Amino acid sequence: MPASTQQAADGRVRTPVSSLQEKAEHLHFNEAPARCRSPCCAPRPYVSMDLRPSPKRDPPPPLPSRAETRPALNRNAASHVSAASGKSCYSMGTDGSLLQSEDGFAEFGDMVDSATFEQILEMDDDEEEREFSKSIVYDFFTQADSTFTKMDAQLERKDLNQLSQLGHFLKGSSATLGLTKVKDSCEKIQNFGAHKDETGAREEPDDEVCLDNCKKTIKEAKEQFQHVEAALKRFYRDEGS
């Protein structure tokens, strides 16, 4: 029996611990270790990462605005309708554009600021029916009638402060539609109710003078409103106008 082995009492042959260590070292240095076959230990492909900054790209072109996609309102276009006939010199063109009389005179005249009113018309989805802008304009008609009724009541009460507030309110809504004459008159009412002159630059302490100025200007504003209301109803082809 080799010296590196020993026989136990039960007859089994045992190898000393030192020999086992030598054998383990021999296997460690001379034999390739077994490879784990688990998926987590499988070799992974090498992925190259490009850390260079990406090249600059031109921004996409802007989308056309709502105004650019709608036909512009034509100026001085021929129209067979005359202002003297009692019908509107403004009329709808076949493309939904706003036509003006041949001689350059429109029934709107200086009652309506065309640039502001065009912005209202541009919000219409249907240039033929113009339901959106018509609803805004007709809501203003109702609002103006109600406000003038309140002004008459405050004149009876001689409440200048309320007259000033009502004038300020109607001035803002009429300015939104570009109804310049109504707006200007309402601004005067606002100033008169605040104990000032029509420009708002000079104080007017006399209540009676302020009330008299309010009364005259409210009458003028009502007449201006009636004229522009009739013109706008004809523009929208309101059969009842």
Side-chain angles (χ1 to χ4, degrees), residues 40-127:
C40 64
C41 296
R44 298 179 181 179
Y46 175 74
V47 180
S48 176
M49 298 181 63
D50 188 0
L51 301 180
R52 294 175 299 177
S54 59
K56 293 183 178 181
R57 298 179 180 178
D58 295 333
L63 296 175
S65 64
R66 192 182 184 94
E68 293 174 349
T69 59
R70 299 194 179 281
L73 302 186
N74 299 330
R75 296 287 194 274
N76 298 325
S79 174
H80 65 281
V81 180
S82 171
S85 66
K87 297 182 179 180
S88 177
C89 291
Y90 271 106
S91 61
M92 290 285 189
T94 56
D95 59 349
S97 61
L98 189 63
L99 302 179
Q100 192 175 353
S101 62
E102 194 171 31
D103 60 0
F105 174 80
E107 186 179 2
F108 285 170
D110 58 353
M111 294 187 298
V112 178
D113 178 67
S114 59
T116 304
F117 190 63
E118 286 172 16
Q119 293 178 358
I120 303 297
L121 296 180
E122 286 169 1
M123 293 187 285
D124 286 317
D125 291 326
D126 186 343
E127 285 84 357

Side-chain angles (χ1 to χ4, degrees), residues 115-153:
T116 304
F117 190 63
E118 286 172 16
Q119 293 178 358
I120 303 297
L121 296 180
E122 286 169 1
M123 293 187 285
D124 286 317
D125 291 326
D126 186 343
E127 285 84 357
E128 182 65 23
E129 297 297 330
R130 296 200 177 277
E131 293 181 358
F132 184 80
S133 65
K134 183 177 180 179
S135 66
I136 296 176
V137 171
Y138 276 61
D139 284 346
F140 171 77
F141 293 163
T142 303
Q143 185 184 88
D145 284 332
S146 174
T147 305
F148 283 130
T149 300
K150 293 178 181 177
M151 286 183 178
D152 291 338

